[in-house]
Amino acid sequence: MKSHSSNPATEDRPSDGNLAAPVPDALTPAARAAVLAMLACPACRGKLRIDDAKDELAIVCGGCGLRFPVVDGIPVLIAE
């Protein structure tokens, strides 16, 4: 009989070979604030805030007013 040894580095890995860690569905308000504090507007380096008042979640710059979409939970901070 073949023995099965458990490897902690791979036991949570999906069988399809995807190495990405599972992403939580939502951040706590404290985690959101901490992440936003580390980010800045790519156009003017202004402070960013979360705007979830409209239909779609977005990040808005308090300096220049640019809006950045949040796609699949990831802010797309590209100034065009």
Side-chain angles (χ1 to χ4, degrees):
M1 187 165 163
K2 196 171 166 181
S3 73
H4 175 71
S5 63
S6 177
N7 181 347
T10 60
E11 65 187 22
D12 290 334
R13 187 176 296 166
S15 61
D16 64 0
N18 186 351
L19 301 178
V23 178
D25 289 337
L27 294 174
T28 64
R32 277 186 179 193
V35 169
L36 274 181
M38 291 185 271
L39 299 175
C41 175
C44 74
R45 297 188 182 195
K47 285 190 170 192
L48 299 173
R49 64 179 171 79
I50 294 176
D51 180 12
D52 57 2
K54 295 192 177 192
D55 292 341
E56 293 181 355
L57 182 65
I59 304 244
V60 180
C61 175
C64 66
L66 280 177
R67 291 180 62 83
F68 302 98
V70 177
V71 179
D72 293 330
I74 300 170
V76 181
L77 299 176
I78 299 174
E80 294 183 27

